[in-house]
């Protein structure tokens, strides 16, 4: 009997017994595994929150009670239980269910997420609004131990604790970020998790509390004092209580009985900020994910029976792998090279660097702002830090890049991976703003390689430039060109003429991932007697003004193409340059339009944004008509 298929809203969970809920948990797990095996997605985080999600929806009344997920990559069970069961097979597909809670997708998704550490701030905002409206629903933030290492989470905790407002923070502690969680907080949590004396004392007190069916306020308060006294005596600090929260935990996050029992008590007695510490296992219920939660944090298609990825058979390296190799080779020649990640060692490729140079590798947790300023500090003392961030996550540290690095001309190199359209993660993760936001900053060199060999050259060249540099490269496989071991240092601010036809009527000025598309288009256009010159700009800042102006003077019009937003992007820079030099010719800018691009495969989205060679051809043919 498939109970799950009979559930049309979470309210119906209130009529199910715990035995029935256990069956539903199994059915949800099976559905998540099957769907992620086909579509890819965040399997391990979602498997770890099935019971937690069921207990939340059993006890509380979403959407009146607000559930604010943090990152939101663990919310598939929430989506399945809130009216999206039938469409769940479209997870992360174009025009399908999104991989993160999304306000436009469902009233049950109280806040749009994807970037970490925002849930407490958003939840407190909702609690304040509730109180101003004299309403009485609950607001619940669900945040992971990794996301809790993000500074904004502490800003939220600090403000919430002082506010004394009724707010529930559920700490979903699976002892993992994407890989091993880092930092003093993580060690503190492990102290609470493992302290047997504390757990014994807590069990005894909970038994006492549990045996008194109707606990009067004074008895409950006294018992809590005893519990807190015991805890504070054993577990130093009670950091959350120091911040004004009533701390409850650590609960078994896979025990529906424990979860429902505590949630009911909190719901009945809440009179201020409460933090419920829930201990879960990332990947719970699917052995391959339990055994390797990092690999199954975010995974592509895989075989359910074996857990083995159904890998693409490409032998072309990813840009990430090329970057990682280049940095390792550079570090072998330069002992001052250091590498910094914000909780993404595997995704940025820096784990390989850490394996070779562990003392020069730093994972600072989900703390991009700290990572940048931390790099600035290192650079003041002669180190040459490379900060590897996903373009989208680097947005968190914009002021630090300006104030702590560029203003001080510190030689920090930003390696922005996942720059451009990332695909199934959708608008929260597309790295489309970095060209615009980096080129605005004085003293910053902004580069984008046309292929993997040029990426290697840029990594080596950035150190020679001895100034703030940003190198951006896309998610996925590179171009499949040979990589020269002996690296040519690129002259700063110099682009490259790939094709300079005397009778050219148009100059295509491309940067980064779009250079390959420009060359393909140019070759096809020449078959139709449309002659193009093609420039690989290489540098978004400083532009190769001489090269660009010389070519522009010889043609009737210019086409620029970038995998970034048009507003203030590379094409804008070319427009500004031509205008400043009184070259008043048409400039057709191709790039990401002024809108958030939804999810899909990377190729689907490049087509949607008209960033393929065919689109360049059509654009030029339309203009030539
Ligand atoms: C600002 C930001 N930086 C990095 C990430 C990438 N990221 C996604 S999930 C994750 C780890 C989150 O750990 P945790 O909150 O413990 O959740 P878990 O995966 O363990 O369930 C990271 C680093 C992000 N989403 N947002
Ligand atoms: C949820 C999150 O932010 C990360 O897991 C992200 O989805 C990883 O992206 P990649 O798959 O491109 O490494
Ligand atoms: Mg975690």
């Amino acid at each position: 009997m498939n109970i799950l298929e009979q559930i049309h809203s979470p309210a119906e969970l209130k009529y199910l017994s715990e035995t029935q809920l256990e069956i539903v948990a199994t059915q949800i797990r099976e559905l998540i595994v099957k769907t992620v095996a086909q579509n890819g997605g965040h399997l391990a985080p979602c498997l770890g929150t099935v019971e937690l999600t069921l207990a939340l929806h059993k006890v509380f009344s979403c959407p009146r009670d607000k559930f604010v997920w943090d990152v939101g990559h663990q919310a598939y069970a929430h989506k399945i239980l809130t009216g999206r069961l039938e469409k769940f097979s479209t997870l992360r597909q174009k025009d399908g269910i999104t991989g993160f809670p999304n306000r436009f997708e469902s009233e049950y998704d109280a806040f749009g997420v994807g970037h970490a550490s925002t849930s407490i701030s958003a939840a407190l905002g909702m609690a304040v609004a509730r109180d101003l409206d004299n309403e009485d629903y609950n607001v619940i933030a669900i945040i992971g131990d990794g996301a809790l290492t993000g500074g904004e989470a502490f800003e939220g905790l600090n403000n919430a604790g002082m506010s004394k407002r009724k707010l529930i923070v559920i700490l979903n502690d699976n002892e993992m970020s994407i890989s091993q969680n880092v930092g003093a907080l993580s060690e503190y949590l492990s102290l609470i998790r493992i302290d047997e004396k504390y757990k014994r004392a807590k069990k005894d007190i909970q038994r006492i509390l549990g045996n008194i069916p109707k606990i009067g306020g004074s008895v409950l308060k006294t018992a809590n004092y005893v519990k807190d006294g015991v805890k504070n005596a054993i577990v130093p600090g009670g950091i959350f209580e120091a911040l004004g929260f009533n701390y409850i935990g650590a609960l078994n996050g896979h025990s529906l009985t424990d979860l429902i029992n505590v949630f009911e008590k909190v719901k009945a007695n809440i009179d201020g900020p409460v933090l419920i510490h829930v201990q879960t296992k990332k990947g719970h219920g699917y052995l391959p994910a339990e055994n390797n939660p990092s690999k199954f944090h975010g995974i592509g298609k895989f075989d359910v029976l074996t857990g083995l990825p159904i890998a693409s058979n490409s032998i072309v390296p990813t840009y990430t792998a090329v970057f990682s190799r280049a940095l390792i080779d550079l570090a072998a020649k330069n002992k001052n090279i250091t590498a910094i990640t914000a909780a993404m060692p595997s995704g940025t490729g820096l784990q390989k660097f850490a394996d070779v140079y562990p003392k020069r590798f730093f994972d600072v947790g989900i703390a991009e702002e700290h990572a940048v300023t931390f790099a600035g500090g290192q650079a003041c003392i002669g180190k040459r830090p490379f900060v590897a961030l996903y373009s989208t996550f680097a947005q968190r540290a914009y002021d630090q890049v300006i104030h702590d690095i560029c203003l001080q001309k510190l030689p920090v190199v930003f390696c922005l991976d996942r720059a451009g359209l990332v695909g199934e993660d959708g608008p929260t993760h597309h790295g489309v703003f970095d060209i615009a936001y980096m080129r605005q900053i004085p003293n910053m060199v902004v580069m984008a390689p046309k292929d993997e060999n040029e990426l290697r050259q840029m990594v080596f060249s950035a150190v020679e430039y001895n100034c703030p540099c940003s190198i951006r490269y896309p998610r996925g496989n590179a171009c499949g060109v040979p990589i020269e071991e002996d690296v040519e240092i690129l002259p700063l601010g110099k682009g490259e003429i790939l094709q300079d036809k005397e009778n050219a009527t148009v100059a295509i000025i491309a940067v980064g991932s779009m250079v390959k598309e420009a060359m393909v288009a140019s070759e096809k256009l020449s078959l139709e007697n449309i002659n193009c010159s093609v420039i690989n700009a290489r540098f978004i800042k400083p532009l190769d003004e001489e090269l660009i102006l010389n070519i522009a003077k010889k043609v009737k019009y210019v086409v620029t193409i970038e995998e970034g937003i048009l507003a203030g992007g590379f094409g804008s820079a070319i427009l500004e340059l031509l205008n400043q030099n009184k070259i008043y010719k048409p400039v057709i800018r191709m790039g990401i339009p002024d809108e958030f691009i939804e999810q899909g495969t990377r190729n689907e989205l490049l087509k949607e944004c008209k960033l393929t060679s065919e689109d360049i051809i059509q654009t030029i043919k339309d203009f030539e008509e």
Side-chain angles (χ1 to χ4, degrees):
M1 165 194 41
N2 193 323
I3 304 175
L4 179 59
E5 287 174 355
Q6 297 168 51
I7 297 169
H8 303 293
S9 99
E12 294 164 30
L13 293 174
K14 300 187 189 315
Y15 304 101
L16 298 186
S17 68
E18 279 189 24
T19 305
Q20 289 170 315
L21 288 173
E22 294 289 0
I23 294 169
V24 173
T26 303
Q27 291 168 349
I28 287 175
R29 252 189 196 93
E30 285 166 358
L31 177 61
I32 290 174
V33 170
K34 185 184 85 175
T35 306
V36 174
Q38 290 162 356
N39 297 16
H42 291 95
L43 183 65
C46 289
L47 292 177
T49 55
V50 172
E51 287 78 15
L52 171 58
T53 306
L54 276 166
L56 281 169
H57 280 293
K58 166 84 174 170
V59 173
F60 295 98
S61 304
C62 189
R64 173 166 165 69
D65 290 333
K66 310 302 174 201
F67 292 2
V68 183
W69 296 89
D70 202 292
V71 181
H73 66 312
Q74 72 290 70
Y76 295 173
H78 166 77
K79 292 201 172 211
I80 288 167
L81 290 167
T82 53
R84 288 165 276 188
L85 170 63
E86 285 69 32
K87 289 192 288 186
F88 192 67
S89 62
T90 68
L91 178 71
R92 290 163 51 96
Q93 291 179 344
K94 189 156 173 47
D95 305 323
I97 294 287
T98 61
F100 305 96
N102 180 316
R103 289 167 45 80
F104 304 113
E105 184 176 280
S106 168
E107 61 173 335
Y108 290 94
D109 295 359
F111 199 66
V113 283
H115 286 195
S117 318
T118 62
S119 61
I120 299 167
S121 302
L124 181 61
M126 293 176 195
V128 164
R130 170 201 62 201
D131 296 347
L132 289 172
D133 294 343
N134 296 314
E135 292 280 359
D136 65 351
Y137 49 80
N138 281 293
V139 181
I140 301 160
I142 306 112
I143 185 168
D145 56 306
L148 198 60
T149 62
E152 186 180 348
F154 270 85
E155 293 166 10
L157 282 174
N158 182 49
N159 193 198
M162 174 272 286
S163 77
K164 305 294 178 218
R165 294 182 190 276
K166 287 198 309 181
L167 175 72
I168 299 169
V169 174
I170 307 241
L171 172 54
N172 169 29
D173 179 7
N174 55 20
E175 302 176 59
M176 293 281 295
S177 184
I178 288 187
S179 45
Q180 200 51 44
N181 201 357
V182 296
L185 178 74
S186 175
E187 286 166 19
Y188 170 76
L189 291 177
S190 61
L191 189 66
I192 299 182
R193 280 191 294 263
I194 59 173
D195 191 293
E196 283 315 310
K197 286 177 290 181
Y198 167 61
K199 287 172 87 169
R200 232 182 2 262
K202 185 175 64 62
K203 267 205 180 324
D204 292 345
I205 287 163
Q206 266 177 342
R207 187 169 39 75
I208 295 165
L209 284 178
N211 288 339
I212 304 171
K214 280 282 169 249
I215 298 169
S218 58
V219 173
L220 178 67
K221 272 208 171 64
T222 310
N224 268 328
Y225 284 140
V226 170
K227 176 173 72 77
D228 293 352
V230 167
K231 176 169 65 190
N232 289 332
I234 293 175
V235 179
I239 186 173
F240 302 112
E241 278 154 6
L243 289 171
F245 279 77
N246 178 13
Y247 170 85
I248 299 172
L251 304 182
N252 174 351
H254 300 296
S255 162
L256 282 166
T257 305
D258 289 1
L259 291 167
I260 292 168
N261 181 27
V262 168
F263 290 168
E264 292 286 9
K265 280 193 173 64
V266 167
K267 181 181 164 186
N269 296 292
I270 186 169
D271 61 359
V274 178
L275 186 134
I276 304 173
H277 183 182
V278 173
Q279 209 174 317
T280 62
K281 182 167 183 55
K282 197 163 183 173
H284 183 72
Y286 180 64
L287 209 52
E290 286 188 19
N291 293 337
N292 195 339
S294 292
K295 176 183 157 194
F296 281 86
H297 168 87
I299 188 157
K301 300 178 193 316
F302 66 93
D303 179 288
V304 172
L305 285 179
T306 63
L308 293 175
I310 299 169
S312 68
N313 50 15
S314 169
I315 58 165
V316 175
T318 62
Y319 279 99
T320 305
V322 171
F323 156 67
S324 173
R325 179 76 263 154
L327 192 61
I328 290 167
D329 293 348
L330 183 62
K333 302 173 191 293
N334 183 333
K335 67 176 176 44
N336 287 316
I337 299 293
T338 62
I340 299 167
T341 178
M344 306 287 282
S346 171
T348 58
L350 286 188
Q351 185 56 56
K352 293 187 174 63
F353 181 97
D355 297 340
V356 181
Y357 299 108
K359 288 189 177 162
R360 293 196 259 165
F361 166 77
F362 305 92
D363 179 353
V364 298
I366 308 180
E368 287 82 3
E369 302 91 323
H370 164 61
V372 172
T373 309
F374 172 61
Q378 287 189 14
C380 288
I381 315 292
K383 297 307 164 194
R384 303 302 304 274
F386 279 68
V387 183
L389 301 171
Y390 287 17
S391 164
T392 188
F393 301 142
Q395 292 161 191
R396 278 282 170 87
Y398 191 38
D399 181 54
Q400 285 75 17
V401 174
I402 295 172
H403 179 269
D404 302 332
I405 307 301
C406 291
L407 185 57
Q408 302 182 67
K409 298 182 182 175
L410 291 169
V412 173
V413 181
F414 297 98
C415 301
L416 302 184
D417 199 332
R418 278 43 171 204
L421 295 163
V422 296
E424 293 80 354
D425 270 345
T428 53
H429 284 64
H430 294 321
V432 295
F433 302 104
D434 63 275
I435 289 178
Y437 69 65
M438 284 295 191
R439 84 172 185 99
Q440 311 293 339
I441 311 172
N443 304 331
M444 174 66 84
V445 168
V446 186
M447 300 181 263
K450 69 179 179 188
D451 56 34
E452 56 268 52
N453 188 55
E454 204 164 73
L455 172 57
R456 181 176 174 87
Q457 292 173 326
M458 287 182 176
V459 169
F460 276 73
S461 301
V463 174
E464 301 305 317
Y465 301 157
N466 196 27
C467 67
C469 291
S470 172
I471 308 170
R472 58 130 39 191
Y473 42 95
R475 184 176 197 267
N477 298 107
C479 301
V481 304
I483 298 177
E484 294 140 15
E485 285 308 300
D486 294 336
V487 181
E488 175 204 342
I489 298 302
L490 300 172
L492 176 57
K494 293 299 173 199
E496 176 189 30
I497 297 178
L498 295 176
Q499 193 161 278
D500 184 2
K501 291 196 174 164
E502 275 316 305
N503 55 352
T505 55
V506 53
I508 306 173
I509 309 176
V511 70
S513 59
M514 293 293 108
V515 173
K516 182 179 175 184
E517 301 302 317
M519 284 305 290
V520 170
S522 169
E523 279 146 27
K524 288 185 179 176
L525 284 165
S526 64
L527 300 177
E528 300 187 44
N529 294 321
I530 297 176
N531 296 308
C532 313
S533 292
V534 181
I535 290 175
N536 163 28
R538 274 188 184 146
F539 295 82
I540 290 123
K541 185 176 186 182
L543 285 174
D544 186 339
E545 297 191 1
E546 184 186 355
L547 179 143
I548 292 167
L549 293 174
N550 287 342
I551 289 270
K553 284 172 187 158
K554 295 191 287 183
V555 295
K556 290 181 183 162
Y557 62 103
V558 170
V559 173
T560 67
I561 183 160
E562 62 200 290
E563 195 177 338
I565 51 155
L566 287 169
F570 168 67
S572 299
I574 299 295
L575 260 178
E576 291 157 17
L577 175 67
L578 298 187
N579 186 273
Q580 282 154 9
N581 289 274
K582 299 183 177 48
I583 297 178
Y584 304 118
K585 293 180 179 175
V587 175
I588 304 168
R589 295 180 301 142
M590 299 178 73
I592 309 281
D594 182 22
E595 57 191 69
F596 288 107
I597 306 304
E598 296 304 330
Q599 69 195 26
T601 66
R602 180 166 150 76
N603 287 334
E604 283 173 335
L605 300 181
L606 286 167
K607 286 192 182 70
E608 181 182 305
C609 292
K610 299 192 183 318
L611 291 176
T612 67
S613 57
E614 289 311 310
D615 296 304
I616 300 170
I617 291 167
Q618 196 55 53
T619 299
I620 288 174
K621 287 170 76 171
D622 291 348
F623 193 83
E624 293 275 329
E625 276 169 9

